[in-house]
Amino acid sequence: MLLLEGQSQELFGEAIEALKSGRGSAPQNALDTLKVFLSCVLAKRYAHPSSAIIAVLAGLDRIDPVFTDFVSTLDSVIRSGDDLEKRHKAIGVLLALTAGAYQTTLLTYMVQRDLFPSVIKFIQETQSPTMVLEPLVLLSLLANYNKFEFQNPYQLRLNDFINEGAMSTVVSCIGIASQLIRNDYIDIQDDLPEGWTFTNALGMLGLGAIAPGSKQEKKPVYDAETAKQMFTRLPKERAAVLLAAYDFSHANKLFCTSFVTAASEKGTERPMAAYLSLTSYLLQHAHLSPRSTYYAHLNLMVFRLLIEDQAICKVLCSEDTKMAVRLCRHRPPFLPLVKVRFLTTYTDDLKDLPQMNTLVDHVVNLLALSLSAGEAFLPTPAAYDDLFYKIVESGEILTKFKNNYGLGKRAGNSIDTLINVSTHYKQLLTEGGGKKKPNNLTTAQVTDVIKQGYETLSIQAKEGLDSWDRYREADDRILLKNMARTAVADVRELVEEE
């Protein structure tokens, strides 16, 4: 490519001139050419990417005027082009450039030229949320460009954004995208419980052929290994929009309010319901790939941002925002006590893994917090009683768990609280069981003793379990940089597929 830089520079320059001419179909053809050309040029590997790409497109001595003119021309098309299709194509060209040149100095031209007003104007004027995906991802990538190294102007724009009409369209786009991304998981394994119907009953009896009504097309059923391989390739590349959902949630309170209160549109779920649903699928399959892990973590960070804002959290928990949410049922959820048993059984394989001490402390402290304040958030008193029952039942496991991970030597956990609760109730069960040994008592008898034991129980959990440090983006800068790189790679795939 470098050997043909004369021809490539001429092609790039002619395309810009054709775009500026506005004659007939020339601008549309120029945009199509630019997108393909930039995708191909930027996909190649260069020893020195910035200087090589500059040489291919304009030459070092002319890059400033040429690229300033190029970005300015696209900005003008996006802002005031004569039709939405042309404006959308111009955004596609900028997206191809942004994703392909993300690790080069070329993006400084797009930072210096504030594209935010033009892109938001397009979002506001388009009638299709599906056309908003690309401009939304474009703004997100630009807002993440070196944002920890300098004051990124796109971050400031996100902070000040108050256009409610455009905000509503952004929220709708994220909701629809979440639904589509989630449906890719359901297409592999439909996990919706099947309710009883007359047709289903006939099918179970082998009489499905005489069932009334239209026959529903059955989805293919994959074996476990095939399904795992298919899940590993998810989420698809459009998941890059989830980075935009994080950026808006972190920067803009109006977006958060719109996100949690947005109603459903015809044929779609409420945006927050779709986002919650998608998050459950990402979490259940997060272990399959780094991409899944990053996107699942990103969505959890959004929920943390929402609940740390008292006003937003109050809205989210109000009767007015109640909603039905489809949660992933591909695997049964593992409760903390199940995780304790797992960690105890496989200590030798797990204890030396990175950040294992943090995971262990969090599991223990979550259980301790549930014991001390669970009546405030567990669904029923019976659920609270059942938690104590399982703690009592796991006494020996907890002691072994403490010894295996050396928890007695660390002050950051409440393992002794769990063990003391178990010991307290075992003593009560021994004293109150009469001639029966604790192991021979019925579940109902044990539950009665648990209820009576609340009066004599003193839970001394570690101080501060019910509080936390508010989210600071700088604390997760490495994760967010990796997340941005993941989104960039996904956008490149999206651009190449078109």
Side-chain angles (χ1 to χ4, degrees):
M1 180 65 77
L2 290 173
L3 297 176
L4 301 172
E5 62 182 48
Q7 292 94 317
S8 62
Q9 290 175 15
E10 183 179 2
L11 172 62
F12 188 58
E14 290 292 334
I16 296 173
E17 291 303 316
L19 183 57
K20 292 163 65 176
S21 72
R23 293 192 299 270
S25 61
Q28 295 269 18
N29 294 336
L31 289 170
D32 292 335
T33 301
L34 282 168
K35 186 172 182 179
V36 174
F37 173 65
L38 288 172
S39 297
C40 294
V41 168
L42 300 174
K44 294 186 176 296
R45 295 184 178 275
Y46 303 96
H48 305 286
S50 290
S51 58
I53 294 170
I54 287 173
V56 169
L57 296 180
L60 188 59
D61 57 334
R62 297 181 61 248
I63 188 62
D64 278 347
V66 170
F67 230 74
T68 299
D69 184 37
F70 170 60
V71 175
S72 175
T73 301
L74 289 173
D75 183 32
S76 178
V77 172
I78 296 168
R79 184 191 300 268
S80 54
D82 50 16
D83 65 75
L84 283 174
E85 183 184 1
K86 183 194 296 185
R87 295 164 69 185
H88 190 243
K89 283 186 175 184
I91 288 173
V93 172
L94 284 176
L95 192 60
L97 172 63
T98 302
Y102 204 74
Q103 302 299 326
T104 73
T105 58
L106 287 178
L107 259 66
T108 57
Y109 292 96
M110 298 169 69
V111 172
Q112 293 167 0
R113 176 80 182 198
D114 186 4
L115 299 167
F116 193 91
S118 299
V119 176
I120 290 299
K121 186 171 184 285
F122 173 83
I123 290 175
Q124 187 176 9
E125 293 177 0
T126 181
Q127 299 298 311
S128 170
T130 56
M131 290 184 74
V132 176
L133 182 71
E134 288 185 343
L136 195 54
V137 172
L138 172 63
L139 291 180
S140 179
L141 294 187
L142 291 174
N144 279 276
Y145 179 68
N146 287 346
K147 69 177 179 180
F148 294 109
E149 283 71 38
F150 74 103
Q151 192 174 43
N152 187 308
Y154 288 93
Q155 286 287 328
L156 301 178
R157 282 292 198 174
L158 290 177
N159 292 336
D160 299 334
F161 182 43
I162 57 172
N163 187 316
E164 293 188 13
M167 191 75 78
S168 178
T169 306
V170 168
V171 169
S172 296
C173 174
I174 291 172
I176 292 171
S178 297
Q179 195 172 333
L180 292 172
I181 298 165
R182 186 271 319 274
N183 289 347
D184 292 331
Y185 288 92
I186 296 173
D187 288 341
I188 296 173
Q189 182 181 338
D190 192 347
D191 55 349
L192 189 67
E194 194 173 72
W196 187 92
T197 64
F198 181 63
T199 300
N200 291 343
L202 288 175
M204 293 174 66
L205 296 172
L207 302 175
I210 65 171
S214 59
K215 304 295 184 292
Q216 291 187 344
E217 183 179 348
K218 285 190 175 182
K219 292 184 177 180
V221 178
Y222 303 101
D223 62 82
E225 187 58 34
T226 301
K228 181 180 178 181
Q229 292 176 2
M230 296 173 74
F231 282 133
T232 301
R233 293 192 286 271
L234 298 181
K236 289 185 178 177
E237 288 76 12
R238 67 168 67 94
V241 74
L242 298 178
L243 182 61
Y246 165 81
D247 289 326
F248 274 91
S249 299
H250 179 256
N252 195 291
K253 186 171 181 177
L254 176 61
F255 171 83
C256 295
T257 303
S258 300
F259 196 22
V260 301
T261 59
S264 60
E265 298 180 5
K266 188 175 181 180
T268 65
E269 303 168 44
R270 289 182 61 170
M272 178 52 66
Y275 190 79
L276 272 164
S277 178
L278 170 60
T279 303
S280 73
Y281 283 84
L282 289 173
L283 285 170
Q284 288 221 353
H285 297 282
H287 64 289
L288 292 176
S289 71
R291 283 183 68 253
S292 295
T293 302
Y294 287 138
Y295 282 120
H297 200 148
L298 193 69
N299 279 25
L300 290 179
M301 290 159 74
V302 169
F303 287 119
R304 180 176 176 182
L305 289 166
L306 295 177
I307 64 174
E308 282 187 354
D309 187 306
Q310 290 189 359
I312 298 296
C313 187
K314 186 176 181 180
V315 172
L316 191 58
C317 298
S318 71
E319 289 290 323
D320 295 337
T321 53
K322 273 190 174 180
M323 64 190 85
V325 178
R326 175 173 181 160
L327 297 179
C328 182
R329 297 177 178 87
H330 287 165
R331 294 188 297 138
F334 292 114
L335 300 176
L337 276 169
V338 176
K339 186 166 285 187
V340 168
R341 292 175 184 272
F342 176 81
L343 292 170
T344 305
T345 303
Y346 298 100
T347 301
D348 291 339
D349 298 319
L350 299 172
K351 66 180 181 181
D352 294 325
L353 293 177
Q355 298 186 328
M356 181 53 65
N357 288 345
T358 301
L359 171 63
V360 167
D361 287 346
H362 284 179
V363 170
V364 170
N365 290 341
L366 174 60
L367 286 168
L369 176 62
S370 301
L371 290 177
S372 62
E375 69 274 13
F377 56 81
L378 289 173
T380 63
Y384 191 50
D385 296 338
D386 187 57
L387 174 63
F388 277 86
Y389 183 91
K390 287 182 169 60
I391 291 290
V392 174
E393 190 181 46
S394 305
E396 293 181 5
I397 294 290
L398 292 170
T399 302
K400 186 177 179 183
F401 179 66
K402 174 183 177 180
N403 295 332
N404 285 5
Y405 288 91
L407 298 185
K409 302 174 184 177
R410 299 206 307 272
N413 64 80
S414 299
I415 188 63
D416 289 333
T417 299
L418 306 183
I419 293 174
N420 290 342
V421 169
S422 179
T423 303
H424 170 78
Y425 277 108
K426 283 194 173 178
Q427 184 178 350
L428 289 180
L429 290 169
T430 302
E431 294 172 353
K435 294 181 180 180
K436 288 186 177 181
K437 294 182 178 180
N439 292 341
N440 296 329
L441 296 175
T442 65
T443 301
Q445 289 172 322
V446 173
T447 301
D448 287 339
V449 173
I450 286 174
K451 292 179 179 178
Q452 296 165 12
Y454 290 154
E455 299 176 2
T456 57
L457 178 65
S458 175
I459 299 179
Q460 300 294 329
K462 295 290 183 184
E463 292 184 2
L465 287 185
D466 58 348
S467 63
W468 63 90
D469 295 329
R470 291 184 66 84
Y471 176 74
R472 291 177 64 253
E473 194 173 59
D475 294 339
D476 287 310
R477 61 187 299 165
I478 295 176
L479 170 68
L480 288 168
K481 284 186 174 184
N482 288 334
M483 186 63 253
R485 283 192 283 268
T486 299
V488 166
D490 283 345
V491 173
R492 284 178 179 169
E493 291 291 331
L494 278 175
V495 170
E496 291 174 7
E497 288 174 4
E498 294 179 353

